[in-house]
Amino acid sequence: MKKLIILLLFSNIILGGIGCRAIGVISSPTIHEQKIPAEYKLAPEAKKGVLVFVDAAQGVARSREVIPDLTEVVKELLIKRVKVNKKYITSDKKLESLRARQDNLAILSPVQIGKESGSGMVLYILIEDYDLTMIDKRGYYAGSMVTRSVLFDVESGDVVWPADKQGKRTIAKFALETKGKEIAKDRLGMTVAHCVTRYLYDCPKPKFKASDEFVLYKEITTWD
C-alpha cells in the first residue's frame, strides 16, 4: 500500500512538471508572433504632422531620379505598417509651394523646412550614395543605395530618433536584377523604405530583415 501511494505521488510530480512545461510552451509566443520593439513609436506623435523629406548629399546628384519614388513608398509604409493616419502626413503640395517660394531648399535645415511646411515632425532621409548600373545589354542591373535617416521634432529642434542622434544608416544592395531599370529602382527604394520605417513601430520579427539589405557584423549581433 505504501509503495502504491509513493508511486502515485511520484507520477503526479512528473506529470505536474510536464504540465508546467507544456503550459510554458503554449504561452510562449511563436516566431511569427514575436516582435522587434520600436526604437521610437511614431504613430502616437503623428498628429503633429509628419513631413517625409528625402534629400541627396552633394556629389550624388544622380540619386535625384529616385527621390520622388522613395518618398512615396516611405509614406505608404508609414500608413500601412507604422499606422500613421494618412491625414497627418504632409502633402507634396506644401513642399512644392515651399520650393516655389524658396529657390534653394539646401540653405534650410530639415527643422526649418518642417516649420515652413507646417509639420511638427520631419523624417529626413539623406541619400549618401547611389549607383544603378546596367551590367548586360539585355537590361540586367546591379544597384546600391546608402542612406542616413533621422526623425526631428520641429518644436524642440531635437533629433528624437535614433537615440544616438547620428542617423540610422541603411545599405541596400543587389548584384543582379533581370527585369529592367524601373524594377531595379523600385527594389532599392522598397528596401530602404522598409529598413527606415521598421524602427518606428513594433515590427514582426520574421519581417524585420530585408533580403537586399547589406548588414555590418555589429548590426547583425544586435538583431536578436
Side-chain angles (χ1 to χ4, degrees):
M1 185 66 179
K2 287 183 179 179
K3 289 183 179 179
L4 179 59
I5 292 172
I6 291 170
L7 181 61
L8 289 172
L9 288 172
F10 184 68
S11 298
N12 286 338
I13 290 170
I14 293 175
L15 291 174
I18 293 172
C20 290
R21 288 196 298 273
I23 291 171
V25 170
I26 292 171
S27 62
S28 298
T30 66
I31 185 66
H32 297 288
E33 296 171 325
Q34 294 175 19
K35 294 185 177 182
I36 305 294
E39 292 186 359
Y40 183 88
K41 290 192 175 182
L42 177 58
E45 303 297 324
K47 61 185 178 181
K48 299 176 182 179
V50 180
L51 172 65
V52 177
F53 182 40
V54 181
D55 198 8
Q58 285 188 335
V60 198
R62 189 183 167 200
S63 65
R64 297 194 179 278
E65 70 179 21
V66 296
I67 286 178
D69 291 340
L70 179 56
T71 301
E72 289 308 308
V73 74
V74 169
K75 289 181 180 181
E76 182 180 341
L77 295 189
L78 288 180
I79 294 168
K80 292 183 177 180
R81 298 182 185 177
V82 186
K83 304 303 181 185
V84 171
N85 193 310
K86 184 178 181 179
K87 69 182 180 180
Y88 296 140
I89 295 180
T90 303
S91 71
D92 291 336
K93 291 182 179 179
K94 287 190 176 182
L95 203 53
E96 289 170 6
S97 176
L98 178 57
R99 282 196 175 99
R101 289 183 282 114
Q102 177 68 54
D103 293 335
N104 186 8
L105 287 184
I107 67 174
L108 299 179
S109 70
V111 169
Q112 289 173 318
I113 291 172
K115 287 179 180 178
E116 292 291 333
S117 66
S119 305
M121 308 198 81
V122 178
L123 178 56
Y124 180 69
I125 303 171
L126 179 67
I127 301 176
E128 295 184 329
D129 189 59
Y130 170 72
D131 181 66
L132 194 62
T133 303
M134 188 169 71
I135 57 175
D136 188 281
K137 62 183 180 181
R138 290 171 291 180
Y140 294 175
Y141 282 81
S144 65
M145 188 188 301
V146 180
T147 65
R148 194 173 297 273
S149 306
V150 293
L151 182 65
F152 290 95
D153 179 87
V154 172
E155 184 176 358
S156 66
D158 293 335
V159 173
V160 294
W161 172 84
D164 64 8
K165 315 291 186 183
Q166 300 301 307
K168 183 69 71 173
R169 194 164 187 247
T170 296
I171 304 174
K173 188 175 185 179
F174 58 81
L176 180 65
E177 172 53 61
T178 63
K179 296 182 180 179
K181 183 177 181 179
E182 291 305 312
I183 296 299
K185 285 167 55 180
D186 291 346
R187 188 169 163 181
L188 288 174
M190 178 56 74
T191 298
V192 168
H194 166 72
C195 291
V196 171
T197 58
R198 67 185 175 185
Y199 295 104
L200 304 178
Y201 71 110
D202 294 334
C203 181
K205 192 170 184 178
K207 297 180 179 180
F208 189 79
K209 300 175 185 178
S211 59
D212 288 333
E213 179 185 11
F214 181 81
V215 185
L216 300 175
Y217 175 74
K218 182 180 178 181
E219 294 170 334
I220 293 175
T221 60
T222 63
W223 271 349
D224 295 327

